[in-house]
Amino acid sequence: MEHQVFSLEAKQGWRMIECKNRHLLADPEKKGICMNGVMYYIAKISDELSKSLISFNLRSEDFNVIKFPKDVKYLWSCYLVNYNGKIALTNDSCNDGTLDLWVMKDASKQEWSKASLLVPCWTNLVGDQRFRFKGTFSTGELIFAPCTFPNPYFEYYDLKGKNARKLVIEGIGDDLVSFKVFMDHVESPMFLPKVCLSDND
């Protein structure tokens, strides 16, 4: 229930920050999204049963609670994606048909808009396989990853040109159990000091 940040300035180190809404990550396996200097992630507020979207401003170090749209179905399975440079919420695994997204228009006003995208059938490319929407590239292409393994591949779909293409990843071994997709990832590793929560850690 405590929150800390690690400063990358001259005086590096962990320090406590205040959060008015005590919360925990709803699902540590579901990654958050950082966009325009703000980190977004799904969390459970301690005094509420439902989930909420939390935003953390990296500059001001302020937390804000953003309520989900009321018409979202199966909120327990929702996850965040980057949809054309905006935060979007979806819960659909997709093979063909309609993909529903709730796109955040204005975080300060708690405004969302619903978008329904018509996606094609992939049967001629990959057979009977279900996919999960992962987001969009800067080109506007939609990226889909299979819901099951072990074959690591992706489907790209251009809404304007209505063209689909398959990308297969090779050379990562045959015993792959799972893989995760990170959009527009730029690697910048560094070692951080361990956080001591108690004398026994």
Side-chain angles (χ1 to χ4, degrees):
M1 291 299 188
E2 295 180 342
H3 302 276
Q4 299 186 41
V5 295
F6 185 83
S7 176
L8 299 176
E9 299 173 353
K11 295 182 179 180
Q12 294 187 356
W14 291 97
R15 55 187 170 80
M16 301 294 299
I17 57 173
E18 182 181 356
C19 179
K20 296 178 181 178
N21 300 97
R22 295 173 55 137
H23 64 276
L24 295 170
L25 286 175
D27 186 349
E29 291 297 318
K30 293 181 180 179
K31 63 185 180 69
I33 296 179
C34 190
M35 190 177 296
N36 300 323
V38 180
M39 185 73 183
Y40 299 89
Y41 56 94
I42 299 174
K44 292 180 180 178
I45 307 297
S46 59
D47 57 351
E48 298 179 13
L49 296 177
S50 61
K51 296 179 183 179
S52 295
L53 180 63
I54 302 293
S55 68
F56 176 67
N57 191 305
L58 299 175
R59 291 186 178 180
S60 65
E61 298 182 355
D62 291 329
F63 290 93
N64 286 296
V65 178
I66 303 170
K67 297 295 184 182
F68 284 138
K70 295 181 180 180
D71 59 340
V72 177
K73 296 180 181 179
Y74 311 114
L75 188 56
W76 58 271
S77 63
C78 287
Y79 58 97
L80 298 176
V81 294
N82 180 338
Y83 178 66
N84 292 329
K86 294 183 178 180
I87 296 294
L89 183 71
T90 186
N91 57 15
D92 292 321
S93 59
C94 186
N95 190 23
D96 57 58
T98 302
L99 173 67
D100 291 326
L101 298 170
W102 287 263
V103 184
M104 189 167 61
K105 296 176 60 177
D106 191 322
S108 62
K109 296 180 180 179
Q110 310 267 329
E111 291 183 354
W112 297 81
S113 64
K114 187 176 180 180
S116 296
L117 309 178
L118 184 63
V119 296
C121 176
W122 316 113
T123 305
N124 59 335
L125 288 176
V126 296
D128 187 16
Q129 173 71 61
R130 293 190 64 81
F131 287 85
R132 188 174 293 277
F133 178 56
K134 292 296 183 178
T136 58
F137 273 132
S138 56
T139 59
E141 287 181 298
L142 309 179
I143 298 98
F144 296 85
C147 294
T148 57
F149 305 100
N151 299 321
Y153 59 86
F154 304 96
E155 290 293 330
Y156 295 78
Y157 183 64
D158 183 1
L159 285 172
K160 293 182 179 179
K162 296 183 179 180
N163 297 318
R165 59 192 177 99
K166 178 180 178 181
L167 172 67
V168 179
I169 302 175
E170 299 178 343
I172 57 177
D174 297 330
D175 56 348
L176 183 68
V177 177
S178 66
F179 65 90
K180 295 183 180 180
V181 180
F182 296 90
M183 306 297 296
D184 300 320
H185 174 67
V186 177
E187 188 171 348
S188 181
M190 66 182 301
F191 292 100
L192 303 179
K194 180 181 178 182
V195 179
C196 292
L197 302 178
S198 69
D199 295 336
N200 297 326
D201 289 342

